[in-house]
Amino acid sequence: SIDDELRWDGELTVTRHDRETDTTFVIRIDSTRLGPASGGTRAAHYPSIGHALADAGKLAGAMTLKMAVSDLPMGGGKSVIALPAPRNRIDSATWTRILDIHAENIDKLEGNYWTGPDVNTNSSDMDQLSRITKYVFGRSVDNGGAGSSAHATALGVFEAMKATARRRGLGTLDGRTVLVQGLGAVGGDVVRLAAQAGARLLVADTDPQRLEAASLAGHTVVPAGEVLRTPCDLFAPCAMGGIIDSAAAASIPTLAVAGAANNILTDAAAGAVLRSRGVLCAPDFVANAGGAFHLVGREVLGWNEDDVVERTLGIGRTLDEVYSLSEERGITTEAAALLLARARLSPASATAAAT
Ligand code: NAI
Ligand code: PHE
Ligand code: K
């Protein structure tokens, strides 16, 4: 319920409703402890405003952890635009009005929150927002921005897949069966990189056109509803979050999980079940940080493309640290990554815990 969702321990929730488009806007700032909150704008059709608040809160929390574990001087936040219908049924005049209202809301936060692209928003949407507010990452390159973050994200996810396979005793991806769910901006690139590395690709999407392209490229299509029942060596969720709950964790026929989606696990219990079965899972807020390196690196820290690549390739090393800590302490990989992130969020308490 909305009451439950407002009992949230982040820093700020902003909401607004636009009667003309029947759209509800949510911005949640989880933490500004390490810098201005940042995280993308997600547009989707939600069953209720409570669901939209919940999604924004979980995604904002993941951004705080992503920035902290990645050593970026930013906090965590997220925007959710709860549309009156699925995105593909919103006409362009309505969409422009929606973006303009969202931009007004962001502008009122005066830089405490910086947005960027996420599911169902892209660089040209960021260009539109930037006509009203300057607190926007990921405008198109022609418009002075860093452009799409998807390629950097895919590069980092690929490093995460390799590091996870290696640690799980699978060696390199050569000859391994990799299942990629979601062939969008990130997943499409992940498929290409994994294929180049010699993996056998199983692919799933809900969009027939994307499946056809993948099939023409020689990959094997798996029905979208069969993903959690399809045997593979490594599963790469690159569509939506919340796909592995405890029941799925108990049965998913894979040895490792590493993907781009935010909040892949529904809760900590799912992570514990995976661990008990020896399924090694790359915490998503570590694995998918390439996009944050790209946007914050290029637009805040003055990095060039090589710097972004170098830091993104470091995701494999961060995961090795996470996996070693998880083994040493006998905790889930998610819990280990949380320890690393929290050490940066509150250095004093982390030092106390370590001694
Ligand atoms: P996208 O919208 O380009 O691609 C998503 C793909 O998943 C689409 O092809 C869609 O048809 C497919 N899909 C949706 N529901 C599905 C289902 N039930 N089964 C199979 N396929 C399904 O999104 P993008 O940018 O590739 O992002 C993918 C995920 O990675 C999202 O969860 C996003 O939050 C996350 N992510 C993206 C980053 C970026 O830089 N783009 C950075 C960090 C995380
Ligand atoms: N939405 C993407 C993510 O979850 C990219 C992004 C990163 C957007 C940082 C804004 C800020 O990481
Ligand atoms: K997008």
Side-chain angles (χ1 to χ4, degrees), residues 261-283:
N262 284 300
N263 302 329
I264 290 170
L265 306 177
T266 52
D267 51 23
V273 175
L274 287 178
R275 179 177 149 77
S276 73
R277 293 181 57 225
V279 179
L280 189 62
C281 182

Side-chain angles (χ1 to χ4, degrees), residues 168-181:
R168 182 59 186 76
L170 299 170
T172 68
L173 294 180
D174 194 12
R176 293 296 174 184
T177 301
V178 172
L179 169 55
V180 179
Q181 179 193 39

Side-chain angles (χ1 to χ4, degrees), residues 163-250:
T164 306
R166 206 185 311 118
R167 184 63 76 123
R168 182 59 186 76
L170 299 170
T172 68
L173 294 180
D174 194 12
R176 293 296 174 184
T177 301
V178 172
L179 169 55
V180 179
Q181 179 193 39
L183 306 173
V186 178
D189 246 15
V190 165
V191 165
R192 265 189 297 282
L193 292 167
Q196 274 166 24
R200 173 175 167 258
L201 269 305
L202 305 180
V203 296
D205 202 293
T206 46
D207 178 342
Q209 279 182 345
R210 292 198 164 150
L211 289 177
E212 197 184 319
S215 176
L216 284 173
H219 309 314
T220 304
V221 171
V222 168
E226 292 298 316
V227 160
L228 297 172
R229 284 189 288 270
T230 302
C232 58
D233 293 310
L234 185 141
F235 173 42
C238 298
M240 300 304 271
I243 57 145
I244 302 184
D245 59 13
S246 290

